[in-house]
Amino acid sequence: MKVRVTITPKQGILDPQGVTVERALPALGFQGVTDVRIGKHIELRYDPPGGVSAEQARTDVDDMCRRLLANPIIEDYTFELDEG
Amino acid sequence: MSSASPQPVRFGVVVFPGSNCDADAHHAISTFPGATVDYLWHKDTDLKGVQAVVLPGGFSYGDYLRCGAIARFSPIMQAVKDFAADGGLVMGICNGFQTLTEAGLLPGALIRNTGLKFVCRYVNLRVENAETPFTRACDEGDVLRIVVKHNEGNYTVDPETLAAMKANGQVVLRYCDADGVPGDAANPNGAVEHIAGICNETRNVFGMMPHPENSVEAALAGGADGRRLFQSIIDTLTVAEVAS
């Protein structure tokens, strides 16, 4: 199955890139831009041999996020699974 | 009364793919008569009997994903974790510090510098705790002048953990001015409370963003303030050996 992981800096953690982009957008004439957070988007396929239930896949992907893809000390993550 | 001079302290410098301060660290340690130093390859699974481990600066695994995120899965890191759990002295410099936080051996994390720029300059560091195996050759309040060179040196940690760290003397070095006063102007990366170096609860694992290995020879630019950190390790382990 297809997995899409979105990683963003945790609330309360300073995001220097987000702050800088937030300051730059008004310079282009876009007013009212706030809360810019810059993170990562990771796509992968997860097809373990023998198949995997959606529930197990969610558990496994959560484990991948917690242990490697994100650093839970500084980052939040969400993910979506797509059968097929 | 007299005894044979103590055996030199055996250091190991870990080499990850992408380390680039490993040779500097090796050279720095080799300038101490009281020490010997060997490289430890990231694929090694034992520490070859060394008494202190240095994780050097650089860009291990290209800094892919996050700085230090992949290095912590190297075979050598399991040996480093076991060594640290047994009380062995582990020092992480720059990327080595990042790797120690990713490995969970030190609290917190290092994020992008607030200025979004790679910072390469001398900084002053105030010794906040001289009662660690890495700073015992200093006095509290001493100011060390050492170089930083990093893009992700902005130390961050949740407030509860930070409070516990301060109560336990785990904040070891802070960025400060030449008079030893920490402050924003002296802080090159936005690190919380100007933190430049920390240790774990048991004080045997230490990480710092500045590079003491680049300040070991008084005749060269940069002075020799970095010597005092390596000397501290040597003193700690020499005393331990004499005592045992």
Side-chain angles (χ1 to χ4, degrees):
Chain A
M1 64 185 69
K2 224 174 154 180
V3 180
R4 285 186 295 272
V5 183
T6 303
I7 296 163
T8 48
K10 225 181 174 70
Q11 285 307 320
I13 295 277
L14 180 73
D15 173 16
Q17 290 186 90
V19 169
T20 304
V21 168
E22 190 168 317
R23 285 191 199 131
L25 285 168
L28 291 177
F30 298 104
Q31 302 304 322
V33 176
T34 58
D35 299 339
V36 178
R37 309 291 280 171
I38 297 183
K40 295 186 187 96
H41 178 80
I42 299 175
E43 293 184 350
L44 57 94
R45 285 201 62 85
Y46 185 46
D47 303 303
V52 63
S53 69
E55 190 187 350
Q56 186 60 46
R58 294 197 76 80
T59 305
D60 291 351
V61 171
D62 190 68
D63 206 29
M64 293 179 200
C65 288
R66 227 170 7 86
R67 291 170 60 194
L68 176 60
L69 302 181
N71 179 344
I73 295 173
I74 49 172
E75 294 170 325
D76 289 326
Y77 59 85
T78 57
F79 58 84
E80 294 166 24
L81 307 181
D82 237 346
E83 295 287 348
Chain B
M1 287 295 287
S2 70
S3 59
S5 59
Q7 291 291 310
V9 171
R10 299 184 302 280
F11 283 76
V13 175
V14 177
V15 182
F16 297 106
S19 294
N20 68 0
C21 299
D22 44 342
D24 292 16
H26 189 283
H27 170 75
I29 295 163
S30 74
T31 65
F32 288 86
T36 62
V37 55
D38 284 298
Y39 288 118
L40 300 169
W41 185 234
H42 67 110
K43 284 189 174 162
D44 290 348
T45 50
D46 74 76
L47 300 179
K48 300 180 176 168
V50 301
Q51 298 166 281
V53 173
V54 175
L55 304 191
F59 299 85
S60 61
Y61 298 88
D63 274 353
Y64 291 168
L65 195 63
R66 295 178 306 279
C67 306
I70 311 292
R72 87 174 152 106
F73 293 102
S74 288
I76 192 89
M77 283 306 293
Q78 188 54 51
V80 171
K81 279 186 177 179
D82 294 344
F83 180 71
D86 284 344
L89 299 189
V90 179
M91 177 190 207
I93 301 167
C94 196
N95 191 230
F97 183 11
Q98 295 162 341
T99 303
L100 290 172
T101 61
E102 282 282 343
L105 290 172
L106 287 174
L110 284 312
I111 61 172
R112 195 86 182 264
N113 298 344
T114 45
L116 295 180
K117 286 198 175 113
F118 189 96
V119 179
C120 182
R121 65 171 163 97
Y122 282 96
V123 293
N124 294 302
L125 302 170
R126 184 180 194 277
V127 177
E128 300 286 357
N129 184 353
E131 291 174 6
T132 80
F134 308 92
T135 50
R136 59 185 286 163
C138 310
D139 290 317
E140 188 183 322
D142 280 357
V143 176
L144 309 178
R145 186 168 177 270
I146 291 178
V147 75
V148 290
K149 37 180 181 173
H150 61 241
N151 198 39
E152 286 88 4
N154 181 349
Y155 183 73
T156 186
V157 65
D158 66 86
E160 296 77 30
T161 306
L162 179 58
M165 288 167 65
K166 287 199 284 189
N168 196 35
Q170 290 174 248
V171 175
V172 181
L173 300 171
R174 278 199 168 95
Y175 301 108
C176 65
D177 63 20
D179 297 322
V181 181
D184 288 340
N187 182 338
N189 52 38
V192 64
E193 297 198 10
H194 318 300
I195 290 173
I198 60 165
C199 65
N200 64 347
E201 259 181 73
T202 46
R203 300 188 180 180
N204 63 305
V205 178
F206 170 64
M208 63 187 289
M209 286 311 299
H211 287 262
E213 78 279 20
N214 292 141
S215 295
V216 294
E217 281 147 318
L220 298 180
D225 286 356
R227 293 193 77 78
R228 295 164 73 187
L229 302 176
F230 296 107
Q231 189 62 54
S232 296
I233 298 174
I234 292 167
D235 290 351
T236 300
L237 292 170
T238 304
V239 169
E241 198 153 285
V242 169
S244 64

